Amino acid sequence: MVDDDIPSTVATSEEDLLRVEDLETRFFTEEGQVNAVDGVSFAVRESDVFGIVGESGSGKSVTALSLLDLVESPGRITGGHIWYRNADLAEEHRERTPEAVDGDFVDVLQLSEGQRRALRGPSFSMIFQDAMSAFNPSLTVGEQIAEAVEVQRRAEANPRSVRSKTQGYGLGSYLSGLVLPQRDFVNRQSKLEAIELLEKVGIPDPAERADEYPSQFSGGMLQRAMIAMALAGEPDVLVADEPTTALDVTIQAQILNLLKDLQAETDMSIVLITHNLGVVARMCDRVGVMYAGEIVERGTLEDVFDDPVHPYTQGLLGSVPDLDRPGDRLHPIKGNVPDLIDSHMDDRCYFADRCPKAMERCLDPPGERQVGGEHAARCVLVDGEYDESEALADGYFEGSTAGDAAASEGSTADAAAEEATSDD
Amino acid sequence: MISDRLKRNLKKEFRNSLLAKVGVFLMLLVVLSATFAPLLAPHNPTQTNPEQAQLPPLGFESERETSEFVDGEVQTVSRSVEGSMEHPMGTDAVGRDMASRILYGARTSLLVGLIGSAVAAITGVTVGLTAGYYGGRIDDGLMRFADVMLAFPSLVLAVALVGLLGPLTVPIPDPFVTAGLADGMPETFVFPVTVTLVVALVNWVWFARIARGEALSLRQEEYVKAARSMGASDGRIILRHVLPNSFTPILVLATIQVAAIILLESALSFLGFSGTNLSWGFDIAQGRNYLATSWWIASIPGLAIVAAVIGINLIGDWLRDALDPGIEGESGGM
Amino acid sequence: MTDHDEPHDDARRTDDTRRTDDTRRTDEPLVSVRGLEKYYYEQDTLIDRLLRNDPVSIKAVDGVDFDVYPGETLGVVGESGCGKSTTAETLMRLREPTGGSVTFDGEEVFEMDGDRLSEFRKRAQVMFQDPFSSLDPRMTAGQIVREPLEIHGVGTREERRERAADLLERVGLSADQTDRYPHEFSGGQRQRIGFARALALEPEFIVLDEPVSALDVSVQAQVLNLLSDMQAEFDLTYLFIAHDLSVVRHICDRVAVMYLGEVVEVGPVDEIFENPDHPYTEALLESVPRADTDERDREVTALRGDVPSPRNPPSGCSFRTRCPKVIPPDEVDLPQKSYTDVTTLRNRIEREGLDLEFVWEFAGDPDREDTAAFKETMREEMFDSFDADFAGEDAAVMDEAFDALAAGEVETAAEILRERYASVCEAVNPELPDSTHPAACHLRDQPADVREAVAAWEADDGAAAGGAVGDGAPAEDAGSSAD
Amino acid sequence: MSLAKFLVRRSLQGLFVIWGVVTAVFMLRFVTPGSPVDFVAPLDASPELRARIAAELGLDQPMYIQYLDYLWGLLQLDMGYSYISSTPAAARVFARLPATIELAVAATVVAIVFSIPLGVISATNRHEPADYAATGFSLVGISTPNFWLGIMLVLLVSVQLGWFPTGRRAIGFWPAVQLIWQEGTLAGIVVWLRYITLPAITLGTYFTALITRLTRSGMLDELGKEYVRAARAKGLPETLVRYKHALRNTLIPIITILGLQLGTLIGGAVITEAVFTWPGLGTLVIDAINSRDWPIIQGSLIVIGAGFVIVNTIVDGLYAYINPQVVYE
């Protein structure tokens, strides 16, 4: 696929902790190749909250998984860089793999699998949408949090250079741990720390709750417990994938407040994935809007919310009924989200078929264009106003994609990832 | 009941899966053997011939001890016999042609398997859907009854029932012989009625359980609620919504049950309870007494059973993979 | 309960069609729900009876009243588990009610049978939430929309076919899609099919059970517009069940707010959203994050804790365990925040079981010797500003309670605290008074019988220092006798 | 609900089912054609003699009296007397029980020892030769009738190679163990092992294949779940992700399935006993059926049915113990 010629590097900053460049994640399914993440670039600053907002099937969750290298077969990260600023890590790899190091930045994707795995916990960690399924139902909540603590403790107990090797907790160690309590992976100290973490995320009577199973927790409490688990490694970057979607509003408010407080306290950066524009507005400093595997617009919260350039961003904001200013008819975006299957995607602006301002120029894939400051968008409208004389005829895309797009919501990127993992 | 989508999935899965192809091939082999046994069989499978007893299969040799007059005395002489095209799978202890018996044995296995599974399915599904859809006391009663049924191993129960009721059989005229296409073949086929009914009786519970589970969960589906809110009768809901949507797991179970019932029938025949002597299990029981001298009498019918059951199990896997891609499958139910 | 709005036939909510006049409504409600109850029982099997386990009742819907007037959209909002969907399904007779009554156009729904029930099934329809499960996967779109017509024997085969095609077109699908199966449609399109099915019998009343909550925002907006258009075109009355407040504000004329199986507040949509009377409604509104750049700096006070289990609902007002405005007894003069801290502590002690061991450990004294450290920890951890707010009698009572806790006498501590701090909210269950915008809260106007119960409790409280009333059982009787 | 309450409830359920089993077995005699007298009385017996025999067997009583009598007897472990040998039926049934239990337990051990590693290897090396081999083995294993497998083993291993005896049971497990401390010799155990090996493999193969299949598909299922992803996200070593998390959850439901499969195991034991002339309940029940020895038939069926219920109740209790969430649901 021919991509744009403009390199997508927007306003790099001193404070960047994470720079994602042209990330591509694909799923190779029986229906065909699914381009779930298709050349995504963004930067996350230190102690900043970066929001990725999009509808289901936009590829936002796969982006989150890609950051932690948790994409599973038949999915694969097929290209791009994830530059992560960590002076120690850079020093360690400068000699051995110079191509993966740039100043204090290390390209995580060029490290070995073991090295990448060692970054999970202390560098990156993740909270998932559905806490009930993210906890193992047959182990106590305390035990599972203690595991996360223990991973961190063992990593610290060993010098960084052999860290990936300490992962070698083999079958033998596990089996002997079953017989001899003192050889168990999790020790008493980490269990106590787990209780402290539960206390920290506001769970009453944490010592008792630590011995309970996930099914005994309410949704909100379990979400808190998952946050505790993610914080165990004191991560630099917390990836939160729809952390409040499964919760009621009053509980959502609690969790968002908690995340805000914890972020202020620990100075970590958060990558927040959500479809809820209100949550983005509440939490984020900077935002990227995803559509069909691409970030179509990004910038500061004010750039994107007050001054949207891309018709998709405008449409998204226009679709949400306003709680405080009720009023007129909503202005939805027509049509449906495309299915991201490579062979179904024409080489054009993916939004053109739903765009009220589609022009002939949109039939070429638009590159990312600078709007000003950190604000950028993948839309020709940045270059100039909508010109009605160039408008595409009504029904230009009909017949070619409408039917397929309709039929395919089930096999969009996230669904493909889902299917791929549950498939026997 | 099989929609276009399911047909598409079946085709796709068939194309992608070697095992599905093997399964269909084995199954075709069994079905064709069973159907055209009178045309394919080289001999009458019930025709004994002591002269030709215990001949080895084609390509094998066997030492045979015979009594012969040597120098005016009766002596036991060891003589080597070779398999021949005349009896490609050899002959049994009384000289019946093994190949013909295998072909005819397929009839028994397949008919008992298919009819037994169908009877069990119809009974079990009717009871299960009713119980699951209505719930409450009807459901409690059924489930306790099912628990009691399950407490008896199906083989033990089947042995007890067949043994105690006695093996009733019905002779069915063979259409090929009647039409004069297969002279010299048995005029009737002996269908073991008791065995078929008993295997259905001991296996219907599995269908009832699956159907009940499906009905219980489908009852919660919004389209069933929608039908009720529109004023649809219970009968209509069960027939139009619940049955079609529980069809897939029931079909998969029915397939696996054919295999289970073929195994059960062969075990009953092996123990001598079936009432027909044209059965793979019966031949294995016979051959067991000649293991030291004629290994093939017991081995070949067993291979036939294994091939048939593998074929059906593979078809079951194929159906499950094709029909149930997303749905969390209760793995087989047995 | 009567509303003060005029009937209207345009459902599009523009500011000029908003009805704000105060004339009392003259027309009769189309649907009227009174005291609706739906309980489930656990541990109710034969074996439980043998073991003498008492059945546990779960009050999914516990005495719900509301009216729906012709042509309006009544929204029912609440969090998951508040009983809103159960209410809808029970009033549609998809579940057997435990008690109460529902009238539809003046007729008692729960007593209908035969032709009258069939007539009701024609005039009232439901549209469900889940675009995947609400359509039978083995039927085509056409068959799905034809089904209600077949059930009621409407028209000939050919007429039904035409009507289905027509309906599908009206909801925005094309005629060539009638033979497709649900899985070939997107979520939004599936909801359109479900809506077409609900329209097939030309009903007057449609229950919309979270019709857009499973959809993406852009698609959700399409479906909401469709619902409004069809309401205007066919003169429909909606009961709109939702948890998304902005959607409710957008589409509803009046709103009922539910909490733990009860309606806590009902009123015209603008009043509910601009002047909520019930602290729960207020908290709900505050919790919703706005898609606005000012949102980041808005101070949001989240409600504390979780919704209590319906197996063990709180006595008195069901919201009191989370309420930031629990009413202190007259003799207590604490800032609201500190009083709320006291009620939180009491809830922990009485309902959830306070983990004393952890407090001791937190105090750095697992051997339970240093009572002073224990008390210090309690004051620090459970209260925001203990030293500033608690003085005199309050400080003494708290000290006594902490002593009891330190000694492990949880019951005693509970008793000490109850004696001084028991609130009317835990004693008497507030009801909805008869007005255009009633709220079930002791801070607002209450019906006469509730006021009497409150007076009785206060008198009793004064005499017996509140001891006996606190356990809720007699108080609940006082509340429910008000029905 | 507490664990104790759960166990009491489950045991009561089990008792109820056992009562059903007894009733069903009792009724069996009344739906069977022919009277027991036909089998007990001499062929040329006079009507008077037949009536006397019937009275002696209690068959002249109304059905409900016979039923109550039988229930009352059972409570005292009295199953009546064998029609053929006139010995107490209960004694004969319980004398045969250890042999069947030994066989079933040995087969289960064989199955568990081989199947779980095979299933895990298969699932964690998906689409590799090891996976194909394990899948192939399990397919053939669940498709092979065990009586035929037994005969083939006898043919190859006993008749051709002469490694193991062709059948019968020389010594019980318990006497063999007693020999160890009484005589200080392992010879008893060795003999026991020689005799039980082939029957155990014969009976265990189907279960090995079945559990391999279940473990493989269960493990693949579990490895695809979100909690596995979450465990990896927190950096947990892969060993723990696989064995502590995924395998544990794979095995939990398999325990229940195994409980239900106990019926198949006992059914298999009956026919395995027939192949190896193993003196267990199976051979007893088949002989009794052939000779219409009702007290023995009823006694054996009740012991088998009740055994099934008891084992399943214990399995459910264990299940609740290692997986407390079932109790809270």
Side-chain angles (χ1 to χ4, degrees), chain A residues 65 68 70 72 117 120-121 124-126 128-129 133-139 143-145 147-148 151 167 169-171 174 185-186 213 215-216 229 417 421-424, chain D residues 126-127 216-217 220-240 243-249 252 321-326 328-329:
Chain A
L65 293 175
L68 269 85
L70 289 172
E72 281 159 23
R117 194 185 294 157
R120 293 183 209 145
F124 304 94
S125 80
M126 180 154 176
F128 296 84
Q129 170 172 354
S133 62
F135 273 96
N136 185 337
S138 62
L139 295 174
E143 169 90 13
Q144 296 184 57
I145 296 171
E147 284 179 348
V151 168
Q167 280 277 330
Y169 186 85
L171 188 55
Y174 172 60
F185 182 72
V186 172
Y213 290 85
S215 57
Q216 293 167 269
M229 189 156 86
T421 48
S422 64
D423 157 61
D424 178 358
Chain D
R126 218 175 147 197
H127 299 319
R216 176 181 185 272
S217 67
L220 284 175
D221 240 30
E222 294 296 328
L223 283 173
K225 287 195 175 162
E226 187 91 333
Y227 73 83
V228 166
R229 194 175 266 176
R232 287 183 181 142
K234 68 190 178 192
L236 204 65
E238 191 62 19
T239 311
L240 288 174
Y243 299 104
K244 182 171 171 186
H245 286 258
L247 180 60
R248 187 188 171 94
N249 286 343
I252 286 171
Y321 178 73
I322 56 174
N323 188 36
Q325 43 167 344
V326 293
Y328 300 109
E329 266 160 20

Side-chain angles (χ1 to χ4, degrees), chain B residues 24-41 102-107 110 114 176 280:
Chain B
V24 170
F25 171 75
L26 288 173
M27 199 58 213
L28 273 178
L29 211 61
V30 175
V31 170
L32 292 177
S33 312
T35 315
F36 300 109
L39 303 182
L40 299 170
I102 296 295
L103 290 171
Y104 270 86
R107 279 192 161 186
L110 201 63
L114 290 178
F176 293 105
W280 292 335

Side-chain angles (χ1 to χ4, degrees), chain D residues 64-270:
Chain D
Y64 74 94
I65 300 276
Q66 292 186 40
Y67 176 62
L68 291 177
D69 274 352
Y70 191 72
L71 275 186
W72 180 241
L74 266 189
L75 287 179
Q76 305 160 54
L77 283 182
D78 174 7
M79 297 171 175
Y81 289 84
S82 162
Y83 291 168
I84 311 297
S85 67
S86 299
T87 47
R92 292 199 55 196
V93 169
F94 286 111
R96 294 291 194 98
L97 194 55
T100 300
I101 292 179
E102 271 171 33
L103 182 56
V105 170
T108 310
V109 170
V110 168
I112 289 174
V113 165
F114 289 102
S115 63
I116 291 172
L118 258 180
V120 171
I121 290 168
S122 187
T124 50
N125 296 284
R126 218 175 147 197
H127 299 319
E128 282 173 36
D131 181 25
Y132 292 128
T135 330
F137 160 76
S138 54
L139 179 65
V140 175
I142 59 164
S143 306
T144 306
N146 63 358
F147 61 90
W148 181 71
L149 177 69
I151 292 171
M152 290 300 109
L153 286 175
V154 168
L155 173 65
L156 295 173
V157 186
S158 304
V159 176
Q160 303 285 337
L161 302 171
W163 289 354
F164 292 104
T166 57
R168 292 189 307 111
R169 172 175 180 255
I171 185 170
F173 178 70
W174 185 236
V177 170
Q178 278 175 324
L179 276 183
I180 296 178
W181 66 74
Q182 283 170 3
E183 310 279 327
T185 167
L186 285 174
I189 282 291
V190 171
V191 171
W192 180 80
L193 274 176
R194 266 174 53 79
Y195 277 83
I196 205 166
T197 302
L198 287 188
I201 292 174
T202 301
L203 183 53
T205 300
Y206 172 81
F207 293 93
T208 314
L210 182 77
I211 305 171
T212 306
R213 247 168 110 94
L214 292 173
T215 309
R216 176 181 185 272
S217 67
M219 186 91 176
L220 284 175
D221 240 30
E222 294 296 328
L223 283 173
K225 287 195 175 162
E226 187 91 333
Y227 73 83
V228 166
R229 194 175 266 176
R232 287 183 181 142
K234 68 190 178 192
L236 204 65
E238 191 62 19
T239 311
L240 288 174
V241 174
R242 278 183 189 172
Y243 299 104
K244 182 171 171 186
H245 286 258
L247 180 60
R248 187 188 171 94
N249 286 343
T250 305
L251 294 183
I252 286 171
I254 289 181
I255 295 176
T256 326
I257 296 176
L258 283 188
L260 282 174
Q261 286 290 334
L262 185 72
T264 320
L265 182 73
I266 296 173
V270 168

